[in-house]
Amino acid sequence: MLEFDVTAPVTIATDPDQSRIRVDQIDLRLDLADEIMRLKREMNAVLLAHYYQEPEIQDIADYIGDSLELARRSQETSAEVIIFAGVHFMAETAKILNPAKQVLIPDMAAGCSLASGCPAPEFKRFRELHPDHIAITYINCSAEVKALSDIICTSSSAEKIINQIPMDQKILFAPDRNLGGYLMKKTGRKMLLWQGTCIVHETFSERKIIELRHRHPDALLIAHPECEESLLNRADFIGSTSALLKFTQESDAREFIVATESGILHQMQRLSPGKLFVAAPPQEESCNCNDCPYMKLNTLEKIYLCMRNRSPEINLPDEVMRGAERSLERMLQMSA
Ligand code: 13P
Ligand code: SF4
């Protein structure tokens, strides 16, 4: 396990000025989509976007994908600059895999409840308490936690990776307890789980989903494995964002109740225009709880400004980069 100072400041900038848009910096007559395209050409930049981004961002992205696909895309591009329209841990991953490239993120405050619920000093203590366990860690974590881990995984690669670990090797899994529990069932492996959760995937109301299924008796319930176990037990299909999207394209079903962040409905509807997609309802009335508040911090304005100002930029200490690269490269090899 790599040793470094886990008491050093974490890499997410909390400076509120970084996430405040200065509207006065933008000429309101500009067509921002056109300007972003122009800057992409001028800067030799690529725009990578996660499925949870606003439709207008997805529509101008060079690539849209799940966490694993975007990590791979970041390595394949010949662009000199990567603009990452996603959350902080995704942009960090792109930087770790591409140290020589400039990686820009529209809003440095675009965090993730799973990453912030697993601080590096506590994760280090957790590992020290269980020295005979290897750490397979979900990519939704900080670069410091990646550097303290043996192998990183995503929701689309985790099962394949766990199945390659010798049966007598003990495993601890962090930070998502729902994904960890789901993987234990799928692989038959017992794992020690960190008790983190995603604030978005925890909000779905089973009662309202059951009511919805009465109104749409032919609809299939599809869910991301970050959802709680009781909801996953009811799901007809479980998978990463890309796997859910592919399933909706290939399935004969015409209606789907979608238990993941609502941004993905844009691609589902675009790729299967004749099918009906209903966002799984959250527990609270009239809240937008199935919108990830971090993903939705990104806007066209912030993308334009981060390109024009070449800031905020992801930079990490060398020893963190090296440690995190090792565990990420293992993920890429084991999921190939
Ligand atoms: P995917 O890798 O399935 O896109 O998941 C990322 C994520 O943050 C889910 O909440
Ligand atoms: Fe993190 Fe959940 Fe947002 Fe995904 S949806 S980025 S897991 S807070």
Side-chain angles (χ1 to χ4, degrees), residues 52 87 89 111-114 140 198-201 226 292 294-295:
Y52 296 166
V87 286
F89 75 82
C112 168
S113 67
L114 282 167
N140 296 39
C198 160
I199 50 167
V200 178
H201 289 85
E226 288 174 13
C292 173
Y294 306 109
M295 288 277 183

Side-chain angles (χ1 to χ4, degrees), residues 32-103:
L32 288 175
D34 284 352
E35 283 302 302
I36 291 167
M37 295 300 192
R38 181 183 63 77
L39 284 171
K40 268 201 301 185
R41 284 190 298 276
E42 265 179 37
M43 296 164 75
N44 187 14
V46 67
L47 175 59
L48 304 181
H50 189 264
Y51 289 118
Y52 296 166
Q53 292 298 286
E54 295 286 3
E56 60 189 10
I57 296 177
Q58 295 187 35
D59 290 348
I60 57 162
D62 295 298
Y63 299 105
I64 320 168
D66 69 8
S67 313
L68 182 64
E69 289 165 341
L70 291 174
R72 288 214 171 101
R73 288 288 186 194
S74 77
Q75 277 193 311
E76 287 160 10
T77 179
S78 58
E80 289 165 62
V81 182
I82 296 171
I83 321 296
F84 213 113
V87 286
H88 190 264
F89 75 82
M90 296 179 176
E92 270 188 343
T93 298
K95 181 67 186 178
I96 295 159
L97 295 174
N98 302 279
K101 293 188 198 269
Q102 183 174 45
V103 178

Side-chain angles (χ1 to χ4, degrees), residues 226-286:
E226 288 174 13
C227 292
E228 289 182 329
E229 184 183 7
S230 53
L231 191 153
L232 293 179
N233 287 341
R234 295 184 183 280
D236 298 295
F237 181 78
I238 299 167
S240 75
T241 49
S242 287
L244 295 176
L245 182 60
K246 188 161 177 267
F247 179 78
T248 59
Q249 288 179 273
E250 291 175 355
S251 167
D252 291 335
R254 310 297 302 161
E255 296 182 14
F256 301 87
I257 299 169
V258 184
T260 191
E261 212 270 359
S262 57
I264 196 158
L265 269 69
H266 178 59
Q267 289 305 320
M268 289 179 173
Q269 201 69 76
R270 193 179 72 80
L271 294 170
S272 304
K275 297 184 179 179
L276 177 73
F277 298 97
V278 186
Q283 283 152 24
E284 266 178 59
E285 291 301 330
S286 63

Side-chain angles (χ1 to χ4, degrees), residues 172-217:
L172 66 80
F173 186 87
D176 187 355
R177 69 166 181 225
N178 293 323
L179 174 62
Y182 167 73
L183 290 167
M184 288 208 292
K185 274 194 182 169
K186 285 286 278 184
T187 61
R189 296 293 294 266
K190 200 172 168 331
M191 300 194 292
L192 197 56
L193 302 183
W194 183 276
Q195 294 298 310
T197 56
C198 160
I199 50 167
V200 178
H201 289 85
E202 272 203 322
T203 59
F204 300 117
S205 159
E206 259 183 272
R207 184 182 55 76
K208 289 187 191 167
I209 288 175
I210 294 166
E211 284 168 11
L212 201 54
R213 293 195 94 165
H214 281 301
R215 276 183 274 136
H216 298 273

